[in-house]
Every structure is written in C-alpha cells, then in structure tokens.
Amino acid sequence: MSKRKTKDAQLPVGECITELQRILRERLCHQQLPDKPEGVEAQHKHLLELLKRTAVHGESNSVLIVGPRGAGKTMLLKCVLRDLLEEKEIQKNLLQVHLNGLLQTDDRIALKEITRQLHLENVVGDKVFGSFAENLAFLLEALKKGDRSSSRPVLFILDEFDLFAHHKNQTLLYNLFDVSQSAQAPIAVIGITCRLDVLELLEKRVKSRFSHRQIHLLSSLTFDQYLDQVQTQLGLPDDFPDTVFAEDWNDSIKTLCEDKSVEEVLQRHFNSSKDFRSMQMLLMLCLSRVSVAKPAIKPADLLEASRLCFGDAKANMLHGLSILELCLIIAMKHLNDVYEGEPFNLQMVHNEFKKFLQRKSSSMYNFDQPVVMKAFEHLQQLELIRPADGSSAKQQREYQLMRLMVDNSQIMEALQKYPQCPTDVKQWAMSAFG
C-alpha cells in the first residue's frame, strides 16, 4: 500500500517544474549522450573495434571521422569512448590527448598541451630537444611502464583536423602518423573534420604514413525522424518523481508536435539545418518560457523561439545606430540603387546626405565633416561597410572605396523597428531617388 502511495504521490507544481527544467536543460545544454547512437551503428562498431585493438592489443592506427557540422562526429566518438572505458583494465591503462585546431594553432603550443595532458611537465623539466620528433619520442618513452617493456596506449584526438594541416611542414601530423606506423609506441590518431577534401591538404610524406581509413557521417534524417527526435528531446523519463505530471507533460508535447503551425516551423528549421545543436537551441528557448504560471510549451512559444533563432544579426545591429549613422546607411542605399552596387566613398555618401538636408532645409541634421567621418569609421568597425576589393589603404580616407554589407530589405526592416525614427528620414529611405 505504501509503495502505491509513493508511486501516485503528486508533488507541488513548482517542484515538478524545477525537476523538469533540470532534466531537460541537462539533456539540451550538456548534450547528454544517447544510450545508443541512432543511424550510425555500423560506424560505431567500426570505431569501437579499431580503438579496442589499440587499447587492448597495443596496435597503432589512424583514422579520420568526416562529416558536415552537426552530423554527430563528436557524439559518435564520445559514445565509443564511453563504451570502451567500461572495462576497468582499459580505463586504468588508456591515456587520452585532446587537441583542437582552433586552440593549438602551431606545433609548439600543441606539444606543450600534449605534455600537460600526459602530466609529464616534471619529467621534461628544462630539457632542450633538437627537434619536434625527439621531444615527442621522449614523451612517449616516458610513458613506458615500470618494466620498460610495454608502453601505455595513447589516443590522440585532433578536432578540426584540417587546421593542423596548415601548420608549418605539418610536423605534428607527420610525427604522430610516423609513430602510429612504426610501432614505437601504441597510439591511435583520430582526426575529426568537416572537410571532405582533407586528404588533399596533406603533404606526400604525411599522406603516405596515414592509414587512409575514413569513417563518413552523412545525415540521412527524414522529417518524420526529426519530429520524433523533438518529441524525444522534450519528453520526460518514466522515473520522473510525479508520474501524473510526467504523463500530462508528455501528452502536451505529443499534441504540440501534431499542431500544423508547429510542424511548419520545424519543417523550416529542418530545411535550413538538420543539425541537432540548432534543434536543441530552438527547444531550449521554448523551455525557458515554461514556469509555474505556464507549465506547458504552447505553439506560440515555438514561433517566438524560431523568430529569435532566425533573427538577423546585421538588421539588429542597425537598431542601435545613431540617427547620423542611420542617415549615412540610407545615403549608401541610394548610391547602391543609382550606381547598381558599384563601390562608393565617404565623399559621395556625404554629398548624398547633403542633398537630403537641402531638400528638407533642416539644420537639425547638420554635422561637421569630422563628426561624419567618425560615424563612417564606426560603421566600418561594426562591419556594416567594408573596403572594396582592390581599394588602396594608402588613399585618403574620404576617397577610399567601400561596399555596403546590408541589403535594402534589412535596412527597411530596421527602420520599421527603429525607436522614434523621424518621419522624414523614413520617407527619404523609401523614396526612389536620393
């Protein structure tokens, strides 16, 4: 009887919402790993077997995981590592080094990071090495076990692998592949990249040492599977403390996904990106609107979240400009219309602005040349304008050719939302002539 009571026990709504937010935020923000990665079972099996051969049998190898952004490359690798480290012996013995091409921008920084992650700073000390190869060989030698007969296996995971190919002489890649081929120490080199032509970036000597083993991930997700994933991502688990609340919540999510307007929004997201991270961002924005007063996600929440996701950053930037800067943008818009997109300079923009002032015979917008130049420079800093290709930086600033980086629709949309925008400025923007 007592068991039944606890099972059917209803928690206060506030506690349910807090627990709901905790579970779903963990899933959406921390990208919780699935129990089994869907749609990539063959790739999962292949990679797991490959890494097991390094971790258990001391066999060296190299492999590339290739696929578009958001296809699940990192998720696949994390799932494989989780499954691999379930065995206590492997967990105790296996070492991992994670490098990222965006962070380790040259081989010296990469080597420092390898030393740090292998906890060998004290061993290296103040030793001076003649070359990168000597330094790496010393690090791997230092990992030998007490009997000095066998070395601990090391996984080198190179994220943004293609960026390592831009390092001088590709020394890091050459040495890692060389070690993996020559069986000096058991290492596995795993590259993660979204470039399909990554092998073309490798030098001959590096390419010849690479195993040419590639694992491709291509999103084969259909819209129905995408909808199922949305439902799964927002669903509450069976072990939720309040079963009645969980059932009601899951029913409301099912109803939400069947709504026509919601389906249209999700279809638009699916068409623009099948990336799970962008889906999770959308759902996270919906979840942030759930509260005790509104304990369910409504179609309007999804529409608002979608609007925020597809928000135009450049158009939003225009809302924060001063009236003078906005007037200069409108002058550039008219120059673009008249000269069919040809580049312009500050002098031309200022002349166009003066024409508007003469027509209005208003002293309200009269600004000195230095003030106008300052505003023009600010627009360049915001990257709303940029120097035209081939324009010389040595030219006088007034005559340096520039291009406008926002289009007419973005300007007109920003004007509609600009707080207390003067009517004559709006009319000037809408007029067909400057």
Side-chain angles (χ1 to χ4, degrees), residues 408-427:
N408 289 3
S409 61
Q410 288 172 308
I411 295 168
M412 298 315 292
E413 188 192 329
L415 279 168
Q416 298 311 315
K417 294 177 183 174
Y418 192 89
Q420 291 151 3
C421 182
T423 313
D424 50 0
V425 171
K426 268 190 191 174
Q427 286 169 346

Side-chain angles (χ1 to χ4, degrees), residues 74 99-102 157-162 164 190-193:
T74 307
L99 301 176
N100 190 307
L102 294 168
I157 295 150
L158 308 182
D159 211 342
E160 305 290 348
F161 178 84
D162 49 292
F164 287 98
I190 305 151
I192 301 175
T193 180

Side-chain angles (χ1 to χ4, degrees), residues 116-141:
R116 189 189 69 78
Q117 288 190 34
L118 294 176
H119 307 294
L120 294 174
E121 296 101 326
N122 295 339
V123 181
V124 172
D126 297 326
K127 285 187 176 66
V128 177
F129 298 96
S131 67
F132 184 96
E134 276 178 32
N135 201 337
L136 187 65
F138 176 82
L139 291 178
L140 295 172
E141 185 69 27

